[in-house]
Amino acid sequence: MISKEISQHKTNLKNYFDGEGFDRWAAIYSDAENLSFVRKTIAQGHHQMLAIAHQWLTDTSDVDTVLDAGCGTGLFSVAMANQGYAVTAIDISPKMVSKTRQYAEQSNVIDNMGFVVGDIENLQMHYDAVACFDVLVHYPPDPFIALVNHLAQRCSKTLLLTYAPYNRFLAGLHRIGGWFPQDNRRTEIQMTPDTIVVNALASAGMRIHRSASVSRGFYHVKLVQAFAS
Ligand code: SAM
């Protein structure tokens, strides 16, 4: 992918998450009662993934500052701010950042949080921990590797991320997902072979400490925690 295509891809993602995708994902992330079967399994899987990530991060010593890269509606940012971490929430979609700010206000954790609207790759600050959940699943290999490298440069201690692992069964399931009525469709998910992730982290100077597969209906991700080596 050449840089013009990557920039177009990011613009498309921003437009999607700031437009028709906003309501769809805000509903999935709000544990709404009336979700379709497909969306309900995505919500349940996402909830399970965040619970593991929450545990792993709070288990990690010497972490004060956290970057939630691609914060969406702020579920993880606010949970971490509630634990007392100083959290920066960034998203390319202004609507997602507003929603996160609103959620932080309602949860009385606004004083522990900072908010940035923009592309993760333009961020130059450093944080003890960087979390990037269900963001890289939207990127094909070249920008995926560049993003992992950029996230690794931002963190001094630990990086937690998810990606959609490639396997033939999931590729088939993904195709079935494409046959559901338009309303129920997932956004396009890019499956990434494990070797790409392992190599991208190693070249960025990080070693994988632990990983967990989370599979629920139409939600399939691998959660990885890596440490700066
Ligand atoms: N991380 C959140 C969670 O798990 O609850 C939200 C996940 S949502 C599926 C993906 C989010 O990534 C969207 O809000 C989107 O706008 C954001 N995003 C995608 N590419 C981004 C980029 N390059 N910089 C910042 N945000 C990005």
Side-chain angles (χ1 to χ4, degrees):
M1 235 179 170
I2 56 169
S3 63
K4 209 169 145 197
E5 286 171 331
I6 295 172
S7 147
Q8 186 56 52
H9 184 69
K10 286 180 175 173
T11 304
N12 293 346
L13 283 175
K14 172 188 172 278
N15 291 341
Y16 171 76
F17 281 104
D18 220 41
E20 60 167 309
F22 178 80
D23 289 338
R24 180 170 304 177
W25 286 97
I28 289 172
Y29 292 152
S30 70
D31 280 338
E33 285 290 305
N34 298 322
L35 293 175
S36 67
F37 169 75
V38 172
R39 290 190 197 181
K40 204 170 271 176
T41 65
I42 295 171
Q44 289 165 343
H46 181 254
H47 183 80
Q48 192 182 339
M49 179 280 290
L50 285 187
I52 301 170
H54 187 138
Q55 186 64 52
W56 286 2
L57 188 57
T58 51
D59 278 355
T60 306
S61 56
D62 302 325
V63 173
D64 295 316
T65 56
V66 176
L67 173 70
D68 188 7
C71 60
T73 58
L75 287 182
F76 193 70
S77 309
V78 169
M80 290 302 104
N82 243 319
Q83 295 286 318
Y85 297 104
V87 179
T88 300
I90 180 171
D91 203 286
I92 205 165
S93 149
K95 258 177 143 175
M96 289 291 188
V97 175
S98 298
K99 183 84 179 165
T100 297
R101 182 189 289 276
Q102 192 188 7
Y103 183 34
E105 271 163 2
Q106 285 163 357
S107 310
N108 290 318
V109 293
I110 196 99
D111 293 346
N112 286 359
M113 292 189 62
F115 305 89
V116 182
V117 174
D119 180 357
I120 299 161
E121 279 189 283
N122 293 336
L123 204 64
Q124 296 303 328
M125 299 279 287
H126 293 91
Y127 307 84
D128 298 326
V130 173
C132 188
F133 302 135
D134 298 1
V135 176
L136 294 162
V137 299
H138 299 294
Y139 287 88
D142 289 352
F144 180 106
I145 293 166
L147 267 164
V148 168
N149 185 53
H150 187 78
L151 292 166
Q153 303 316 317
R154 305 279 66 74
C155 73
S156 48
K157 176 125 199 192
T158 188
L159 171 61
L160 294 104
L161 60 82
T162 56
Y163 65 98
Y166 184 86
N167 75 41
R168 278 166 56 199
F169 170 71
L170 293 182
L173 199 58
H174 185 64
R175 275 196 297 278
I176 294 168
W179 296 335
F180 273 74
Q182 190 74 31
D183 268 4
N184 285 336
R185 274 192 202 175
R186 304 190 309 172
T187 40
E188 187 154 328
I189 298 299
Q190 308 273 344
M191 286 185 283
T192 305
D194 292 333
T195 48
I196 289 192
V197 184
V198 171
N199 292 339
L201 285 167
S203 348
M206 308 223 58
R207 67 183 163 76
I208 294 181
H209 171 61
R210 52 188 161 184
S211 62
S213 296
V214 181
S215 281
R216 195 82 178 246
F218 282 78
Y219 184 87
H220 300 274
V221 300
K222 200 166 207 180
L223 171 66
V224 167
Q225 180 175 27
F227 281 103
S229 46

